[in-house]
Amino acid sequence: MFNYNVRGENIEVTQAIREYAEKKVAKLDKFFSDTPDATAYVNLKVYPDKTAKAEVTIPLSFLVLRAEETTDDLYKSIDFVVDKLERQVRKYKTKINRKSRERGFDGIADLPADESDHKAEKHAEPELEIVRSKRISLKPMDSEEAVLQMNMLGHDFFIYTDAETNETNIVYRRNDGRYGLIETATL
């Protein structure tokens, strides 16, 4: 059973909206047998052009589910984002169970089997294939220099070693044209 954190931007999250979002996201509970502490973060936004965006993030110990959808209706956006998340779970489940069977295991206990597994396997996307491999040397630099390097190369992301922390970091170009930074930490 998920815990829910429902927030709204440019919209008041009424009890009806909250209950609708929780009811729809709860459909994903059936895929997970032991997620007592999982929190579903639901962010609802309404824009001046009257479009509505629903974002759902569910961090689990073995997987982070995330999807967003923008339509002309908030309820439709919630429906579509939950459908997207359900497809993600089915795809992940099918892939993990296939790999487990190849290695001689029966399947993954965290993700219960259902009759749709066989349908999903028949229509599963082809295996992810790495078609090119590249080796890079990580030069120590700061994030600003990394963004400049990324832009010079014409890439959407750039991996580098942070000169201050000596950790591997990633800068990337966001959909809105601004930049993001992913800082890593050794465990």
Side-chain angles (χ1 to χ4, degrees), residues 24-120:
K24 288 298 184 171
V25 174
K27 288 173 49 178
L28 300 172
D29 276 345
K30 66 184 177 188
F31 292 106
F32 307 102
S33 57
D34 57 349
T35 56
D37 297 329
T39 301
Y41 298 94
V42 181
N43 193 17
L44 308 172
K45 298 179 185 178
V46 176
Y47 296 104
D49 65 355
K50 304 295 184 210
T51 57
K53 180 179 190 178
E55 298 175 4
V56 178
T57 306
I58 305 172
L60 301 168
S61 60
F62 53 90
L63 171 71
V64 175
L65 294 172
R66 185 181 187 294
E68 60 183 57
E69 194 65 49
T70 305
T71 68
D72 59 348
D73 178 56
L74 180 62
Y75 291 96
K76 195 187 312 181
S77 294
I78 293 169
D79 290 343
F80 287 166
V81 82
V82 170
D83 290 344
K84 236 184 212 185
L85 288 167
E86 194 167 340
R87 284 192 302 273
Q88 284 180 18
V89 171
R90 288 183 190 282
K91 180 178 176 182
Y92 176 81
K93 179 179 166 185
T94 301
K95 178 178 241 162
I96 294 300
N97 283 335
R98 184 184 311 122
K99 287 193 182 294
S100 295
R101 281 192 301 273
E102 287 172 2
R103 294 183 181 135
F105 301 115
D106 291 334
I108 300 298
D110 289 325
L111 302 172
D114 59 27
E115 67 281 352
S116 62
D117 283 351
H118 303 294
K119 292 178 197 170

Side-chain angles (χ1 to χ4, degrees), residues 105-142:
F105 301 115
D106 291 334
I108 300 298
D110 289 325
L111 302 172
D114 59 27
E115 67 281 352
S116 62
D117 283 351
H118 303 294
K119 292 178 197 170
E121 275 190 42
K122 289 179 186 173
H123 300 296
E125 293 180 20
E127 279 294 315
L128 295 176
E129 180 183 359
I130 297 175
V131 295
R132 184 174 179 203
S133 180
K134 198 180 223 185
R135 180 174 287 273
I136 59 171
S137 297
L138 300 180
K139 176 184 165 196
M141 61 181 73
D142 62 16

